[in-house]
């Protein structure tokens, strides 16, 4: 038995039929070409009999795709098979996939037939399809709930009729991995002509077992997995292509299997399907979710920096990502802060790590997640504050808003070893705040310029306030950084006041004849 597992992608058939709105021809072709580049062996691209639009899109894709087998779905009736053939015949490499339900509940309540009649329909359909295509696949719909004797009977008959691939679907996601693997095992043990066809599996995810069931099946001898990109599909979706492919690749030593998928194309294809199908990927989705290669815990980050194998069984590069993500949160440790700053061009020793880390923790408690641009801003402001500060903000409160409210600011500051409070009113919240600071410091300051910039993106971006003030004919610059723009404004003015204080000390030393260090 070959150790190659055929990847049969049904994103454009089973996946597309679950969307709230159909894809356009152009969108379907973009996905098909992406699947071809990804390296899927077979792509099922539609159900030609279902509509004129589906027929035309299947035909268009069949004409364009050269490196993958293009497949169309058909019920076990001649008109469906005719439609599939007419749509697919423009391709040099195509497959007709016909199906009929085989479980007791489907045979009795949906088809309203006896099982013998279902077998006859399947055999006649396969023979008819073989007259139109050398490659015919047959599916036993709801095989997961089909009595094993019935399943063995129809599989044997389908192979005798000429089906080269037999698909065993867990259509409603009912089975457990040991059960589904057992079904495949029994088919290999009990169907005498089983070696004349490839056994395929098509698992749904209603109980979250689709990937596990598919892997159990290939362990027992199945050699084709039917799946979709991002696991999209009916109800809870299908087996996820990226999950089974990376499971086979990652656990190759135990499975002794491989696929022909170009794994570095996985992320790109996943993103394309998500965007065109308007189906966002959950952050915790295996392989392609935003958190799949993201580390937040300080312990995990430290381990990954020392050796990726500590917490990564798959490298992000192997699925087409440039690198993993170290989420900078309040749980992050000093090691990852130093690592990120080094990556940004700031080697250790060029800054006070303890100072930066303390400010990082304060910011992380406010923002939740800190980004590279935040770190650079923190580093800059940390360097500004390496020397002892005369003035430090302890608390502020601002009342403003509406035509009947007088903007008022209350502020508490440390001045040397003393804590002082002051309040003031003004034309606006920042004006009131600055008047309170002027009173508290005793400086007669003239504000020349006031500028606000957003550092980063989104609603939790840091606000950076830059000011220029005039004091006794001298110009001083102040900067403040905070998620709250009023707080950033206060920090900018306090920074300017500290610069004024230090400048005054220098002038006093000059007048006293004290040598400056």
């Amino acid at each position: 038995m070959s150790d190659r597992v055929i990847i049969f992608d049904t994103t454009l058939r089973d996946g597309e039929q679950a969307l709230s709105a159909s894809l356009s021809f152009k969108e379907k072709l973009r996905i098909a070409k992406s699947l071809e580049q990804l390296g899927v062996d077979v792509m099922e691209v539609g159900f030609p009999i279902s509509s004129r639009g589906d027929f035309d899109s299947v035909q268009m894709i069949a004409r364009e795709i050269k490196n993958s087998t293009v497949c169309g779905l058909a019920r076990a009736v001649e008109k469906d098979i005719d439609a599939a053939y007419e749509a697919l015949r423009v391709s040099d490499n195509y497959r007709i996939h016909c199906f009929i339900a085989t479980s007791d509940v489907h045979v009795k309540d949906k088809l309203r037939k006896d099982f013998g009649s279902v077998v006859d329909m399947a055999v006649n359909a396969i023979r008819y399809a073989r007259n139109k295509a050398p490659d015919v696949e047959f599916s036993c719909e709801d095989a997961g709930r089909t009595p094993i004797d019935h399943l063995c009977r129809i599989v044997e008959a389908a192979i005798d009729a000429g089906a080269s691939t037999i698909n065993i679907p867990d259509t409603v996601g009912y089975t457990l991995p040991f059960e589904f693997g057992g079904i495949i095992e029994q088919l290999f043990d009990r169907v005498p002509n089983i070696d004349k066809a490839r056994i395929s599996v098509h698992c749904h995810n209603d109980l979250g077992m689709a990937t596990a069931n598919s892997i159990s099946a290939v362990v027992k001898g199945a050699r084709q997995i039917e799946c979709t990109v991002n696991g999209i599909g009916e109800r809870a979706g299908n087996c996820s292509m990226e999950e089974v492919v990376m499971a086979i690749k990652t656990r190759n030593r135990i499975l002794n299997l491989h696929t022909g998928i170009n794994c570095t194309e996985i992320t790109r294809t996943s993103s394309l399907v998500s965007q065109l199908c308007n189906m966002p990927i959950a952050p915790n989705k295996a392989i392609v979710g935003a958190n799949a290669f993201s580390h937040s815990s300080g312990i995990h980050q430290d381990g990954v920096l020392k050796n990726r194998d500590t917490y990564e069984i798959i490298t992000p590069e192997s699925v087409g990502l440039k690198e993993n993500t170290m989420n900078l949160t309040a749980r992050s440790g000093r090691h990852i802060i130093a690592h990120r700053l080094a990556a940004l061009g700031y080697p250790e020793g060029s800054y006070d790590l303890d100072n930066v880390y303390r400010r990082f923790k304060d910011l992380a408690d406010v923002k939740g997640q800190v980004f590279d641009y935040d770190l650079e801003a923190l580093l800059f402001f940390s360097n500004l504050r390496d020397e002892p500060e005369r003035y430090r903000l302890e608390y502020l409160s601002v009342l403003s808003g509406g035509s009947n409210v007088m903007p008022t600011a209350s502020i508490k500051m440390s001045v040397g070893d003393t804590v002082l409070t002051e309040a003031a009113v003004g034309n606006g919240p920042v004006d009131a705040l600055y008047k309170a600071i002027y009173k508290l410091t005793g400086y007669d300051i003239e504000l020349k310029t006031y500028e606000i910039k957003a550092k980063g993106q989104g609603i939790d971006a840091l606000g950076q306030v830059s000011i220029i003030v005039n004091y006794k004919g001298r110009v001083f610059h102040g900067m403040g950084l905070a998620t709250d723009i009023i707080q950033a404004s206060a920090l900018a003015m306090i920074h300017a006041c500290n610069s004024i204080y230090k400048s005054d000390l220098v002038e006093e030393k000059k007048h006293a004849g004290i040598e400056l260090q």
Side-chain angles (χ1 to χ4, degrees):
M1 185 178 296
S2 170
D3 61 357
R4 167 76 177 270
V5 175
I6 300 301
I7 297 300
F8 177 112
D9 184 274
T10 185
T11 300
L12 288 170
R13 199 279 299 171
D14 201 335
E16 200 258 353
Q17 71 189 30
L19 304 183
S20 57
S22 296
L23 296 168
S24 69
F25 284 11
K26 184 176 180 180
E27 289 169 334
K28 288 182 179 181
L29 185 58
R30 284 187 66 190
I31 290 175
K33 286 186 172 294
S34 183
L35 293 172
E36 183 180 37
Q37 189 172 342
L38 179 66
V40 302
D41 300 284
V42 185
M43 62 175 77
E44 188 174 51
V45 297
F47 195 176
I49 195 65
S50 64
S51 71
R52 184 66 202 185
D54 222 37
F55 179 95
D56 290 342
S57 66
V58 170
Q59 189 174 66
M60 172 189 63
I61 294 170
R63 186 177 287 113
E64 293 288 333
I65 297 301
K66 305 302 181 186
N67 298 318
S68 300
T69 298
V70 181
C71 178
L73 187 67
R75 292 169 298 184
V77 294
E78 290 185 3
K79 65 176 182 178
D80 282 33
I81 295 168
D82 287 339
Y85 170 68
E86 291 299 327
L88 292 166
R89 63 187 294 189
V90 296
S91 171
D92 294 331
N93 188 18
Y94 65 92
R95 175 183 297 184
I96 294 176
H97 180 192
C98 55
F99 72 97
I100 194 168
T102 56
S103 67
D104 288 348
V105 65
H106 278 244
V107 170
K108 177 182 176 182
D109 296 331
K110 186 178 79 171
L111 301 178
R112 306 198 174 206
K113 297 181 180 295
D114 60 76
F115 191 73
S117 298
V118 168
V119 174
D120 290 341
M121 287 180 66
V123 168
N124 290 335
I126 294 166
R127 287 174 176 166
Y128 186 78
R130 276 300 306 268
N131 289 327
K132 297 179 178 294
D135 187 355
V136 174
E137 177 173 336
F138 172 71
S139 281
C140 314
E141 186 185 6
D142 203 21
R145 294 190 295 175
T146 299
I148 191 63
D149 290 343
H150 284 180
L151 194 60
C152 290
R153 177 184 169 188
I154 197 168
V155 167
E156 182 179 359
I159 296 172
D160 279 343
S164 51
T165 300
I166 302 294
N167 184 39
I168 309 299
D170 185 22
T171 305
V172 292
Y174 178 72
T175 63
L176 300 176
F178 75 91
E179 286 181 292
F180 196 65
I183 291 171
I184 303 303
E185 187 173 34
Q186 288 195 67
L187 289 175
F188 275 96
D189 288 343
R190 296 177 56 180
V191 177
N193 58 354
I194 196 78
D195 60 321
K196 293 181 172 60
R198 177 184 292 111
I199 299 302
S200 175
V201 291
H202 178 119
C203 298
H204 279 261
N205 207 38
D206 297 71
L207 295 177
M209 302 288 175
T211 296
N213 281 341
S214 300
I215 295 297
S216 294
V218 295
V219 167
K220 296 300 183 179
R223 284 299 178 266
Q224 177 176 286
I225 293 177
E226 304 193 2
C227 49
T228 62
V229 175
N230 300 335
I232 66 172
E234 290 279 7
R235 304 180 310 280
N238 288 58
C239 173
S240 169
M241 180 277 299
E242 58 275 6
E243 291 178 12
V244 289
V245 166
M246 292 310 296
I248 289 170
K249 180 178 180 179
T250 304
R251 302 307 308 275
N252 175 263
R253 289 186 180 180
I254 191 169
L255 295 175
N256 293 315
L257 300 169
H258 70 274
T259 72
I261 295 295
N262 178 3
C263 296
T264 58
E265 291 291 320
I266 285 176
T267 296
R268 183 191 59 80
T269 307
S270 167
S271 178
L272 177 68
V273 169
S274 174
Q275 292 173 19
L276 294 183
C277 295
N278 193 28
M279 294 191 74
I281 302 169
N284 63 326
K285 169 72 172 67
I287 314 300
V288 293
N291 292 347
F293 299 98
S294 176
H295 306 278
S296 296
S297 164
I299 294 173
H300 286 218
Q301 291 172 343
D302 181 63
V304 170
L305 290 175
K306 292 173 178 174
N307 183 347
R308 279 185 168 188
D309 290 345
T310 54
Y311 291 102
E312 286 185 1
I313 61 170
I314 301 168
T315 66
E317 293 84 358
S318 68
V319 295
L321 283 172
K322 291 183 178 179
E323 58 183 10
N324 53 24
T325 302
M326 297 294 188
N327 288 333
L328 302 179
T329 68
R331 297 181 297 277
S332 298
R334 285 175 170 80
H335 194 184
I336 187 60
I337 302 303
H339 174 79
R340 287 307 308 149
L341 286 173
L344 293 169
Y346 303 98
E348 281 194 76
S350 65
Y351 57 90
D352 183 343
L353 179 58
D354 289 338
N355 193 354
V356 173
Y357 186 67
R358 175 173 58 80
R359 294 180 183 279
F360 159 78
K361 295 283 281 186
D362 291 341
L363 180 60
D365 283 337
V366 175
K367 287 191 66 174
Q369 186 171 352
V370 176
F371 299 93
D372 285 349
Y373 52 76
D374 295 321
L375 278 185
E376 289 196 280
L378 287 175
L379 184 60
F380 175 73
F381 278 86
S382 174
N383 288 338
L384 285 179
R385 291 166 171 78
D386 280 346
E387 298 180 28
E389 298 172 343
R390 170 72 172 174
Y391 304 106
R392 296 186 305 277
L393 178 65
E394 301 290 343
Y395 167 85
L396 70 83
S397 176
V398 173
L399 177 64
S400 182
S403 58
N404 297 321
V405 177
M406 179 73 74
T408 306
S410 300
I411 188 168
K412 179 189 291 186
M413 286 172 50
S414 294
V415 181
D417 296 329
T418 306
V419 176
L420 302 175
T421 59
E422 190 57 78
V425 296
N427 295 325
V430 175
D431 184 51
L433 175 65
Y434 283 179
K435 285 181 178 177
I437 294 175
Y438 301 160
K439 287 183 181 180
L440 198 147
T441 60
Y443 293 142
D444 183 12
I445 292 174
E446 178 189 5
L447 180 63
K448 303 292 288 184
T449 66
Y450 174 91
E451 184 181 37
I452 302 174
K453 291 182 180 178
K455 300 292 287 185
Q457 300 176 350
I459 60 175
D460 62 349
L462 286 169
Q464 177 181 302
V465 173
S466 299
I467 63 172
I468 295 176
V469 302
N470 186 300
Y471 173 72
K472 293 183 178 180
R474 288 174 288 160
V475 174
F476 296 89
H477 179 224
M479 293 182 68
L481 191 74
T483 53
D484 181 277
I485 201 63
I486 300 298
Q487 184 180 0
S489 299
L491 293 173
M493 183 56 74
I494 292 171
H495 175 213
C497 289
N498 278 311
S499 297
I500 291 170
Y501 174 74
K502 292 168 188 174
S503 177
D504 282 348
L505 284 181
V506 171
E507 290 298 318
E508 290 176 9
K509 289 181 179 180
K510 284 182 179 178
H511 289 305
I514 300 173
E515 183 178 351
L516 299 176
Q517 299 297 320

